[in-house]
Amino acid sequence: PPSGISGARPLLPAFVSRSPSHTPPGFDCIVVGGGHAGADAALAAARLGCATLLVTSNMDHVGQLSCNPAVGGLAKGHMVRELDALGGMMGLWADEAAIQFRMLNAAKGPAVRAPRAQVDRERYRAAVQRDIFAHPKLEVRQDMVSALLVEEGRVAGVRTALGQEFKAKTVCLTSGTFLNGMLHLGENAFPGGRLGDEPAAALSESLRARGLRLRRFMTCTPPRVLAGSIDFSALEEQPGDPLPQGFSFRGPGVALPQLSCYLTWTTPATHAIISAALSRSPMYNGAIPGPGPRYCPSIEDKIARFPEKDRHQIFVEPEGLNAPLWYVNNIPTGLPLDVQQAVLNSVSGLERAVISRPGYAIEYDAADPTQLTPGLESKILPGLWLAGQVNGTSGYEEAAAQGLIAGVNMTRALRGKAPLVLGRESAHIGVMIDDLVTKGSDEPYRMFTSRSEHRLLLREGNADLRLTPLGREIGLVDDVHWQLFCAKKDALDSLLHELHARRLSPDAATRERFAELNESPPNKNQALAELLRRPGFDCAKLAVFWPEILEFPEAVRVEAETTLRYEGYLARQRELAAKSAYLEAVELPLDLDYAAVAGLTSEAVQRLSSIRPRTLGQAGRMQGITPAALACLNIHLRKIRGGVRG
C-alpha cells in the first residue's frame, strides 16, 4: 500500500532518503525532534498528504531508544495497541524488533493484561529510520532548532542554529529531554539532551519569550554492562511467552528469535553502599531541584524512602540479539561512576560486571501542558503543537501516542477540520491527554490503567474494535489494514451469533461429556454462550461440544470469551460512560468570563480562567472545581443560552 505500513519490509541502509535535494519554499508541517513522539507525528502528517519536515539534531539517532530497549507494559502496552489500531507505527516497529514478548498479568482480569516486548535496540532504530527516510512526503534535516518564527500572532516556522529558516503553517515540538538539558553523574554536571547529544538551550528561551510556561523536571537512566562480565548462572531466568503474539493487529507478528531476561536482587551491602554515598547524588545534594518520576525512582530514592525493604528487584535485559551490552533495569541512578560500579558488584551475578555506559540523571525544561487544548495545540501560540516528554510525560509509549494525535491534528487544522480528541471512555490515550491538559502534573506523568474510570471498556485486546473505524475515518488506516479489521470483526460477530444460537440439551451424552470435563451438566437446554460465563470455562472446553470453534482465530475467541463473561460489568461501564457523556456534550465558550459566574469562588475563577476547559466534563475533572462550582456554571450557561438542561 502507498502508506507503507502493512506487511514485512526489508531494512534499508541508514539514511537512504527520497526527499528532494533542493530546499522547498515551504512546508505544511514541521516536526522538531526525531524521538518517539516526533517519529509518529511526522509520519502521520506525511501519510495524510502534508509536505512535512522533520528537524533533528542528529539523524543517526532518529528512533533511538534512549533508555530501556523495551516497549509496552502496564497501560503502556494498551496505548501501543491503540496507536496501532488508529494506524500509528510503534506497534509495527516493536514487533519487527522484538526479542522477548510477554503478556503481563496474563492470569488476571482482561482490564489489566498488558503486552510488553524487549526489543533489539539497533533493529528498532533501523525500522523507524527506514520508514521515516523513505516516505516521499517527509524530508529530514539535521540541525538544531533555536527559535520559532511567528507572524501575526501565529507560528510561521522555525529558525535553526545553522541560520536556516523553514516556513510552515504548523509546527510540532517533540524535544523530549533536550530543552536546556543538563546531565549529572555524581558531582559532575554538563549540558546534554542525552549522553552524547547537545541540548537545545536557545529554544527554551524562545519559548519563554513567546509566553510559554516551562518548569524543571528530571529523570534517570541505569548503567549498561558488558555481557561477558555477567554470571548468568547466578540469575533467575525469565523467558518470554512460548507463542508471542505481538502488538500489531495488522502486522506480520514477531519473527526474531526470542531471548530470556534475568532477575536478581539488591543486597544489604548494596543498600549500605548507596546510603553512604547519598551526599554524592545530585538528587540529594541540591544539584537537581526539579522533581523526578514518582513511579520510576532512582535506586538512591528507593533506598532512602523505603529503608524497611531488605531488597529490590533488578532485571538484567538484553539490548539486542547479538548486542555486547545488557541493560540493568530498575536501578536508574545519578550516583558517581565509582559508586555505580560498587553497587553492581554487590549484587549476585554482577560481582564482576563491567560498566561500559554509566547511568546518569538529566534535568530539563518541560512545558506546562495545561497551556494546551485537548488536541495538543498551544492556547498561547496558535499553530504550535507540543507532544511527548516536553509535556511532562515519561516513557516512549506516552510520547508516541501524543505524537500521533498532534500529527493528525496539524493536518486537520490545515484543512479546517475539528481536532481529533479521544474521549476518556474510548482510549487510554484520551485519558492521558485529558489528564495532562486538565490537571497538569508536578512530576513526570506515567500512564496507568488505574487512571481510567472505564478501564474494563479499554482492554488491550479490543483496541482495534474501539479505534480502527476512527483511524479509517481520519485517513491513517489503509485498505489492507481495513480489510484485516473487517475480517476479524465479521469473525467475532459470527462466533457470538453461533454461541448464542447453538444449544445443548441435558441428555445422557451431554452429561457424560461434562463429567469428563469435571463440570456440572446443565439441567435444561442451554446456549453455549451461557457456558462461557462459568468460571474457568473457555473455548477450548467448548470444543468438546462444537469442534469448529477452534477454527476461529485465537484473538477472536478470547474477545468472545471476555465479551460474554463480563457482559454485566461491561453494560454497567457503558451506562456510566453514557451518564458522563452529558457533561462532555455541554461546551464552554472559549471567551467565557468566569468572574461573571455567580457563586464561583475566587480559586475556581482563577483555575477556570487559566485552563479554559472545553466542556463541563473537563471542568469537573479540574483540581479545585467542586460539584457546586459545576452547578453554578450550568446555571450560568442556561441563562446565556436560554436553556441548557441540568
Side-chain angles (χ1 to χ4, degrees), residues 526-543:
Q526 193 171 65
L528 295 184
E530 290 299 320
L531 294 179
L532 283 179
R533 296 190 176 100
R534 292 188 180 192
F537 217 101
D538 57 17
C539 289
K541 284 189 175 181
L542 276 188

Side-chain angles (χ1 to χ4, degrees), residues 236 263-268 270-271 299 302-303 306-314 330:
E236 179 183 331
L263 174 65
T264 185
W265 302 82
T266 60
T267 65
T270 311
H271 297 200
I299 187 63
K302 292 178 185 177
I303 301 305
F306 306 106
E308 73 282 1
K309 283 191 172 289
D310 296 329
R311 61 180 191 167
H312 295 274
Q313 289 180 324
I314 295 177
N330 229 25

Side-chain angles (χ1 to χ4, degrees), residues 108-355:
K108 296 185 178 180
V112 294
R113 294 174 195 153
R116 180 190 187 272
Q118 194 74 17
V119 300
D120 185 301
R121 187 187 297 276
E122 296 306 318
R123 287 175 182 265
Y124 185 91
R125 183 171 63 181
V128 176
Q129 291 181 8
R130 175 199 60 218
D131 292 343
I132 290 283
F133 288 106
H135 201 286
K137 282 284 188 178
L138 179 54
E139 184 166 348
V140 184
R141 296 295 182 92
Q142 179 166 306
D143 204 342
M144 182 74 76
V145 171
S146 57
L148 299 175
L149 300 178
V150 178
E151 296 175 3
E152 299 179 353
R154 290 187 58 87
V155 164
V158 299
R159 181 181 298 114
T160 74
L162 296 179
Q164 301 184 89
E165 288 192 356
F166 298 104
K167 295 294 188 74
K169 297 175 182 177
T170 62
V171 173
C172 182
L173 182 61
T174 68
S175 52
T177 60
F178 277 67
L179 284 184
N180 212 16
M182 181 68 69
L183 308 182
H184 295 263
L185 185 54
E187 299 89 348
N188 299 313
F190 44 94
R194 61 182 161 225
L195 196 62
D197 285 312
E198 293 295 318
L203 185 54
S204 276
E205 296 311 311
S206 174
L207 295 174
R208 285 193 177 92
R210 297 297 179 183
L212 273 73
R213 295 189 302 274
L214 303 180
R215 60 266 176 90
R216 207 75 174 144
F217 276 3
M218 66 80 58
T219 189
C220 295
T221 188
R224 280 74 152 171
V225 300
L226 283 175
S229 66
I230 301 170
D231 179 7
F232 289 98
S233 66
L235 306 180
E236 179 183 331
E237 186 174 6
Q238 292 192 308
D241 293 345
L243 297 173
Q245 57 184 279
F247 288 104
S248 179
F249 293 102
R250 88 272 198 188
V254 175
L256 291 179
Q258 300 292 282
L259 304 182
S260 290
C261 295
Y262 294 84
L263 174 65
T264 185
W265 302 82
T266 60
T267 65
T270 311
H271 297 200
I273 293 167
I274 293 172
S275 296
L278 280 179
S279 62
R280 300 181 66 192
S281 167
M283 285 82 79
Y284 281 84
N285 62 18
I288 299 180
R294 178 188 303 268
Y295 302 106
C296 187
S298 66
I299 187 63
E300 49 264 47
D301 234 7
K302 292 178 185 177
I303 301 305
R305 288 167 52 193
F306 306 106
E308 73 282 1
K309 283 191 172 289
D310 296 329
R311 61 180 191 167
H312 295 274
Q313 289 180 324
I314 295 177
F315 298 96
V316 184
E317 302 170 333
E319 295 217 333
L321 281 179
N322 303 299
L325 300 185
W326 281 59
Y327 184 90
V328 188
N329 199 352
N330 229 25
I331 56 168
T333 183
L335 287 165
L337 181 55
D338 62 304
V339 179
Q340 292 185 36
Q341 188 67 65
V343 165
L344 286 185
N345 295 154
S346 70
V347 173
S348 177
L350 302 178
E351 294 90 347
R352 292 183 295 278
V354 175
I355 295 177

Side-chain angles (χ1 to χ4, degrees), residues 9-16 18 126 129-131 133-134:
R9 303 174 304 283
L11 295 179
L12 299 178
F15 318 130
V16 174
R18 288 192 235 151
Q129 291 181 8
R130 175 199 60 218
D131 292 343
F133 288 106

Side-chain angles (χ1 to χ4, degrees), residues 499-619:
L499 289 170
H500 282 100
R502 293 178 179 271
R503 307 184 71 83
L504 292 176
S505 60
D507 55 24
T510 298
R511 289 195 298 272
E512 183 179 345
R513 288 176 179 175
F514 271 92
E516 292 170 357
L517 294 172
N518 292 319
E519 294 278 352
S520 59
N523 54 19
K524 60 181 180 179
N525 282 352
Q526 193 171 65
L528 295 184
E530 290 299 320
L531 294 179
L532 283 179
R533 296 190 176 100
R534 292 188 180 192
F537 217 101
D538 57 17
C539 289
K541 284 189 175 181
L542 276 188
V544 173
F545 307 99
W546 180 35
E548 292 81 2
I549 194 173
L550 298 181
E551 296 175 7
F552 288 86
E554 182 184 5
V556 171
R557 299 198 306 268
V558 170
E559 186 58 32
E561 290 173 7
T562 302
T563 299
L564 294 170
R565 187 167 295 138
Y566 296 93
E567 191 171 34
Y569 298 101
L570 293 170
R572 178 60 179 157
Q573 288 253 308
R574 293 189 192 98
E575 204 176 292
L576 293 173
K579 285 183 179 179
S580 64
Y582 160 68
L583 293 177
E584 299 300 331
V586 180
E587 296 184 356
L588 295 171
L590 292 177
D591 58 352
L592 182 61
D593 181 6
Y594 290 100
V597 179
L600 288 183
T601 65
S602 57
E603 177 191 5
V605 170
Q606 181 182 4
R607 289 182 181 274
L608 290 164
S609 300
S610 172
I611 293 179
R612 298 216 159 266
R614 184 174 56 97
T615 65
L616 270 182
Q618 187 186 0

